[in-house]
């Protein structure tokens, strides 16, 4: 009957905690929760590599950026915290789905005939679904949405329509999350 995360909008985290901690009876069981997080990150790191590498290639930036990004991902404090603290086992889901949300949109933005940008509906839908999973898991994980756009901004040297589309879409996803969150409460 313990509900901690529903009031915070973390429905997916609530379900994970009931599943993992609801069955934990020993210290070994808690260790297995940490192993769940490690396994999750091990499965997600190739996804991060693929996305960062593709964005770096598309933006014609040096490949060393991909390598340094992976070193940073593995060495950053949140990675350590999510592996050491069983109570942070869901971070790999939130962060990876936030990145997938941004990449889905970034990849779906193409130039049209009139020098503008067009966005495929499937990219917007995918971005929305991935973004909502990130937000309903751990809201700060959605910040990874912006990584492909930050790399694009570094390459472009100034904000452009792609950046504006990313910002508008992210605000829209936040707004839809807020509406759904209020509905769930």
């Amino acid at each position: 009957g313990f509900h901690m995360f529903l009031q915070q909008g973390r429905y997916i985290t609530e379900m994970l905690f009931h599943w993992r901690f609801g069955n934990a009876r020993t210290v070994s069981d808690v260790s297995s929760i940490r192993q769940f997080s490690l396994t999750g990150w091990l499965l997600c790191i190739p996804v991060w590599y693929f996305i960062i590498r593709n964005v770096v290639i598309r933006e014609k930036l040096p490949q060393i950026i991909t390598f340094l990004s992976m070193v940073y991902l593995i060495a950053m404090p949140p990675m350590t915290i999510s592996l050491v603290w069983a109570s942070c086992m869901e971070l790999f889901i939130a962060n990876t789905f936030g990145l997938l949300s941004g990449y889905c949109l970034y990849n779906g933005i193409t130039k049209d005939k009139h020098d503008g940008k067009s966005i495929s509906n499937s990219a917007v839908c995918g971005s929305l679904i991935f973004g909502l999973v990130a937000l309903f898991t751990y809201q700060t994980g959605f910040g990874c949405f912006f990584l492909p756009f930050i790399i694009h901004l570094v390459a472009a040297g100034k904000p452009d329509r792609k950046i504006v589309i990313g910002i508008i879409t992210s605000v829209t996803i936040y707004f839809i999350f807020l509406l759904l969150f209020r509905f769930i409460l």
Side-chain angles (χ1 to χ4, degrees):
F2 175 73
H3 298 285
M4 177 176 161
F5 301 106
L6 287 179
Q7 294 81 11
Q8 298 173 5
R10 299 181 192 160
Y11 181 77
I12 295 170
T13 300
E14 184 80 22
M15 298 303 107
L16 268 175
F17 269 64
H18 277 286
W19 170 56
R20 297 300 298 174
F21 279 100
N23 296 318
R25 303 285 183 254
T26 65
V27 172
S28 176
D29 293 339
V30 175
S31 293
S32 75
I33 294 170
R34 291 171 48 205
Q35 292 168 357
F36 171 78
S37 182
L38 175 63
T39 303
W41 274 115
L42 290 175
L43 293 172
C44 288
I45 286 174
V47 173
W48 281 71
Y49 175 81
F50 172 80
I51 290 172
I52 299 297
R53 181 182 60 99
N54 284 350
V55 174
V56 166
I57 289 170
R58 187 169 172 182
E59 297 295 338
K60 298 176 179 73
L61 291 170
Q63 281 300 304
I64 190 73
I65 292 173
T66 304
F67 172 74
L68 294 175
S69 297
M70 292 302 100
V71 169
Y72 176 73
L73 172 68
I74 294 167
M76 67 181 180
M79 171 73 84
T80 304
I81 289 169
S82 72
L83 296 177
V84 178
W85 293 353
S87 63
C88 294
M89 68 174 170
E90 76 282 1
L91 293 181
F92 74 91
I93 298 168
N95 293 343
T96 302
F97 274 81
L99 178 65
L100 284 166
S101 177
Y103 180 68
C104 192
L105 181 69
Y106 167 86
N107 209 34
I109 300 172
T110 57
K111 292 183 180 179
D112 66 12
K113 297 176 189 175
H114 307 292
D115 242 4
K117 303 284 184 193
S118 67
I119 312 164
S120 74
N121 289 334
S122 60
V124 172
C125 289
S127 182
L128 174 65
I129 291 167
F130 289 135
L132 289 175
V133 169
L135 287 165
F136 275 111
T137 304
Y138 199 88
Q139 289 85 5
T140 58
F142 184 69
C144 297
F145 170 95
F146 297 102
L147 290 175
F149 296 98
I150 290 170
I151 294 170
H152 171 73
L153 182 61
V154 167
K158 61 182 174 153
D160 61 6
R161 285 187 66 171
K162 188 175 270 193
I163 301 296
V164 172
I165 290 169
I167 291 170
I168 290 170
T169 304
S170 68
V171 169
T172 303
I173 292 171
Y174 274 120
F175 182 72
I176 292 169
F177 165 73
L178 178 65
L179 291 176
L180 291 172
F181 172 58
R182 300 274 298 163
F183 178 74
I184 288 171
L185 281 180

